[in-house]
Amino acid sequence: MTHGSSNTQPTPELELAVVWESVQWTCLVCGGAEEIAPDEEAPTPPICPTCHRLAVAEALATLLGVRR
């Protein structure tokens, strides 16, 4: 037993070209959206440059506090 109409024609494959200008990713620390070029890769773990700098500054301040 066949289902559907016997006079339906298969649809041709659609060839769509998608061009991405930028790709967005979300920072795990602040939740902010960052954009990068499509050929770039998001950092792993996804932490924005501002949060990264703050984390490094806090770590250095902690280390300097311990050494005194």
Side-chain angles (χ1 to χ4, degrees):
M1 177 184 226
T2 61
H3 297 281
S5 175
S6 62
N7 62 0
T8 57
Q9 299 295 320
T11 57
E13 292 294 322
L14 296 176
E15 292 185 27
L16 300 175
V18 177
V19 178
W20 298 98
E21 292 183 14
S22 65
V23 177
Q24 285 190 344
W25 56 275
T26 304
C27 176
L28 288 178
V29 177
C30 67
E34 293 285 324
E35 289 189 356
I36 57 174
D39 58 341
E40 293 180 23
E41 199 169 306
T44 304
I47 298 175
C48 71
T50 302
C51 290
H52 186 261
R53 282 191 297 274
L54 287 172
V56 170
E58 288 176 2
L60 288 175
T62 301
L63 286 173
L64 289 173
V66 170
R67 294 186 77 193
R68 290 181 180 191

